[in-house]
Amino acid sequence: MVRSPSPGQTPEILLVYDGECPGGVGADAIHALALISGRSGLFNRFNYWLFRSPRRAALVYPVLRSCRNLLLKLLRKTRINNLGLPDNDRF
């Protein structure tokens, strides 16, 4: 079961693999995705190196997420808001 975020809480990434949620949400999902994905190519090897450690994923994921949100805000992009949450259309 996937819960909607609480008011004021931003939805994060959720990993669903074979109908289950092995990685949880946010940094945990990125960590699990790095372990599941292939290691061919420079980007994939870097991604695996960066997120293979749960501690490193927990430190790096929020920083990268904040940078992404700042960039989208500067570009005046709107949120996808596929959950239909009120007042959740701007970054």
Side-chain angles (χ1 to χ4, degrees):
M1 181 171 107
V2 178
R3 295 177 312 163
S4 295
S6 304
Q9 182 184 15
T10 306
E12 294 192 40
I13 186 172
L14 172 70
L15 175 62
V16 178
Y17 183 73
D18 273 344
E20 297 183 22
C21 299
V25 180
D28 293 332
I30 293 294
H31 167 68
L33 193 58
L35 298 179
I36 292 169
S37 61
R39 301 196 190 27
S40 62
L42 184 61
F43 176 77
N44 288 339
R45 284 194 299 271
F46 177 72
N47 187 56
Y48 173 73
W49 174 82
L50 186 61
F51 294 113
R52 72 179 174 205
S53 161
R55 178 176 286 173
R56 197 176 319 151
L59 292 172
V60 172
Y61 174 75
V63 173
L64 293 176
R65 185 169 172 244
S66 296
C67 290
R68 180 202 64 204
N69 288 344
L70 178 62
L71 177 63
L72 290 172
K73 186 173 189 163
L74 292 173
L75 294 174
R76 305 182 73 89
K77 299 293 182 182
T78 59
R79 292 181 187 267
I80 294 174
N81 198 15
N82 57 345
L83 297 176
L85 300 173
D87 300 323
N88 191 36
D89 59 342
R90 290 279 173 203
F91 284 94

